Amino acid sequence: MNLSSLRVDSSPLTVPKGRSYGRNFSDERPLLHLPYESRISPKALSVSSPKVVTADEVSRLGSLSQVSGVLGCQWGDEGKGKLVDILAKHFDIVARCQGGANAGHTIYNAEGKKFALHLVPSGILNEETLCLIGNGVVVHLPGLFKEIDGLESNGVSCKGRILVSDRAHLLFDFHQTVDGLREAELAKSFIGTTKRGIGPCYSSKAIRNGIRVCDLRHMDTFRDKLDVLLSDAASRFKGFNYSKDMLNEEVEQYKRFADRLGPFIADTVHVVNDSIAQKKKILVEGGQATMLDIDFGTYPFVTSSSPSAGGICTGLGIAPRVLGDLVGVVKAYTTRVGSGPFPTELLCEAGEDLRKAGHEFGTTTGRPRRCGWLDIVALKFCCQINGFSSLNLTKLDVLSSLQEIKLGISYKIDGIPIKSFPADLSVLEQVQVEYEVLPGWQTDISKIRNYEELPLAARRYVERIEELAGVPIHYIGVGPQRDALIYK
């Protein structure tokens, strides 16, 4: 069955010389004791040099505020990394504020080489950008070092360009083990997590026995704290085998990690607020998306952090009043990975066709994504929560072969309209989606770079989404490459 045939009508750290916060570091005095300015690349502190851009791009980029953010409008995988990568050259700092290695951001460099990032902010390909991992992020150090090594081996310098918050919580391998045991426990009602240990790590944080990056400075007490964590996991899960040998191995490993991470550690709350005072420009990169928010998403089929606007303030330690423009990223259709309700899902060959056309497989897990039509009800809900100033509509080119395209414009139960996105999943599972059918354009748009050159049907689709969501679309993705972006 072809997709086109489907129609539905209806401050610096100082310590006494020689002291190392409870442990000895190898080689020379660790850089983590120096002011952060002395540890980062001079290029990363300078404002990016101007480049030749179109008038539309100048207008859009020039209007962005000093502190701006890029957040997801759906269930993740919308293409936030690409927009962050493009915008990064116009900002001094790109900061991650929440989530962990469950976030998968795919970006391409100028030569078209693909990079899959999980913890490192998507601004890393821009050599003049400082990348910051905020206090709200949970950090798996083996994964972080693997990403850094991969970037370095491909010619992307990370030295002096990445800072990790000393307040960020450490995610251990055992958190990932517990994540899998928890999913197995839930059996048929499993959440469908990435099994990257995100939930268990945030659980440790919430019950106040978590271990933070700053604890790596105190290896004399690190062992006891880790023992508490591992013992707690062993008492909770019968399948978790814990021994003192495991503890000893982890402690020795984290001694080595502490040495390596030293140059990256900083008081990022100070860094960010000091940069704001110095009028530097900061771009915040969200992980996951609003429909996976612990408060506003399809609970319990959500992530364990706040990927909506509120998570920016708590995840970076900045005041709400300094936040400016927030750009919401939304696909031209809808996808979701894992379990949970999905009102506009295409449970037929058409969904498979859309998956293949959009290459919809998870960056982090490789799992096939569930696909469906663009859900305007969910989009309006996300716009309301976040107060987006503009939207980035991605993957418009994926719809190019269709004769007709549908928008899910409202929910009803027994013919009665539902005014907002429901919290109750039993209600959400019963909704009937009312669709609006629009004509397709059936021509390749991947080479188009000016909005006026898009086919009339494509422009009508874009403008109808703007009208329904009540937020202007300023960026339109028509392919995965860096330059495959239309400024509207």
Side-chain angles (χ1 to χ4, degrees), residues 274-290:
D274 187 50
S275 297
I276 291 171
Q278 293 181 39
K279 306 302 181 184
K280 289 186 169 67
K281 296 195 72 175
I282 298 167
L283 181 64
V284 183
E285 176 181 29
Q288 295 82 48
T290 303

Side-chain angles (χ1 to χ4, degrees), residues 319-347:
R321 64 182 177 82
V322 306
L323 283 181
D325 292 304
L326 296 180
V327 182
V329 185
V330 55
K331 277 180 185 170
Y333 49 98
T334 305
T335 66
R336 139 161 240 175
V337 173
S339 304
F342 184 172
T344 63
E345 183 173 11
L346 287 164
L347 297 170

Side-chain angles (χ1 to χ4, degrees), residues 216-236:
L216 293 173
R217 298 170 179 155
H218 306 277
M219 293 305 289
D220 53 343
T221 58
F222 184 88
R223 173 185 294 273
D224 293 337
K225 291 182 178 181
L226 185 55
D227 183 38
V228 169
L229 264 182
L230 291 168
S231 298
D232 183 63
S235 66
R236 170 66 179 81

Side-chain angles (χ1 to χ4, degrees), residues 398-475:
V398 173
L399 304 179
S400 292
S401 65
L402 306 184
Q403 293 179 2
E404 296 177 339
I405 305 169
K406 291 191 285 295
L407 291 171
I409 60 172
S410 67
Y411 296 166
K412 292 181 178 180
I413 291 183
D414 297 327
I416 301 174
I418 297 176
K419 293 184 178 180
S420 64
F421 194 88
D424 191 334
L425 298 196
S426 64
V427 173
L428 194 56
E429 289 167 353
Q430 296 178 55
V431 299
Q432 297 95 42
V433 181
E434 182 179 10
Y435 289 94
E436 183 174 308
V437 183
L438 285 80
W441 44 94
Q442 296 185 282
T443 186
D444 180 19
I445 62 171
S446 62
K447 300 296 188 293
I448 295 175
R449 298 295 179 265
N450 296 306
Y451 182 70
E452 292 75 17
E453 295 177 11
L454 283 174
L456 178 59
R459 282 182 278 139
R460 284 177 174 169
Y461 184 69
V462 171
E463 289 160 17
R464 184 57 177 150
I465 295 170
E466 287 182 312
E467 182 182 359
L468 291 168
V471 180
I473 294 172
H474 285 174
Y475 315 90

Side-chain angles (χ1 to χ4, degrees), residues 40 100 188 200 247 266 393:
I40 61 181
K188 293 182 179 180
L247 176 63
L393 185 69

Side-chain angles (χ1 to χ4, degrees), residues 106 130 197 213 253 255 296 444:
T106 302
L130 175 65
V213 168
Q253 178 176 232
K255 284 180 180 178
F296 305 113
D444 180 19

Side-chain angles (χ1 to χ4, degrees), residues 31-49:
L31 291 172
L32 67 89
H33 297 291
L34 302 178
Y36 72 87
E37 291 91 345
S38 65
R39 288 189 275 121
I40 61 181
S41 163
K43 284 186 177 182
L45 282 175
S46 63
V47 178
S48 304
S49 56

Side-chain angles (χ1 to χ4, degrees), residues 194-313:
T194 59
K195 298 183 182 178
R196 293 297 191 268
I198 307 304
C201 186
Y202 276 115
S203 294
S204 297
K205 177 178 180 177
I207 63 174
R208 301 182 297 280
N209 68 359
I211 298 177
R212 300 189 295 171
V213 168
C214 60
D215 290 316
L216 293 173
R217 298 170 179 155
H218 306 277
M219 293 305 289
D220 53 343
T221 58
F222 184 88
R223 173 185 294 273
D224 293 337
K225 291 182 178 181
L226 185 55
D227 183 38
V228 169
L229 264 182
L230 291 168
S231 298
D232 183 63
S235 66
R236 170 66 179 81
F237 296 96
K238 293 180 179 179
F240 184 78
N241 298 314
Y242 172 51
S243 66
K244 291 302 177 182
D245 287 341
M246 178 191 294
L247 176 63
N248 292 335
E249 289 175 6
E250 281 289 271
V251 171
E252 290 305 311
Q253 178 176 232
Y254 273 81
K255 284 180 180 178
R256 296 190 296 271
F257 287 165
D259 282 332
R260 183 173 182 186
L261 191 67
F264 297 96
I265 302 174
D267 179 354
T268 58
V269 176
H270 166 70
V271 173
V272 169
N273 284 285
D274 187 50
S275 297
I276 291 171
Q278 293 181 39
K279 306 302 181 184
K280 289 186 169 67
K281 296 195 72 175
I282 298 167
L283 181 64
V284 183
E285 176 181 29
Q288 295 82 48
T290 303
M291 297 312 299
L292 290 172
D293 188 281
I294 188 71
D295 287 296
F296 305 113
T298 49
Y299 189 90
F301 302 99
V302 293
T303 192
S304 300
S305 63
S306 297
S308 54
I312 295 176
C313 298

